[in-house]
Amino acid sequence: MARLKVTPTRMNLNTLKERLATSKRGYKLLKDKQDELMRQFLELIRKIKN
């Protein structure tokens, strides 16, 4: 992971906090999407087997 050169100001702290929150939300959405696609895929495999 790359390190950022950031000046230690309150404004930069708030900006980084917002970026972190956005990244966490995006990660959760992608994880949920992956889980749903896997569920659909496994369901399709079960249908094909029968």
Side-chain angles (χ1 to χ4, degrees), residues 2-43:
R3 286 192 171 233
L4 300 175
K5 290 185 181 181
V6 179
T7 55
T9 62
R10 185 175 299 167
M11 186 118 172
N12 284 340
L13 175 64
N14 287 333
T15 303
L16 289 174
K17 281 183 181 178
E18 288 173 10
R19 283 179 62 188
L20 179 62
T22 303
S23 297
K24 285 182 178 180
R25 264 197 319 273
Y27 178 82
K28 184 185 180 318
L29 285 172
L30 287 173
K31 180 73 172 125
D32 291 346
K33 184 176 184 177
Q34 180 187 28
D35 291 346
E36 178 61 22
L37 287 172
M38 281 301 298
R39 186 192 67 75
Q40 290 177 7
F41 179 68
L42 293 174
E43 183 179 319

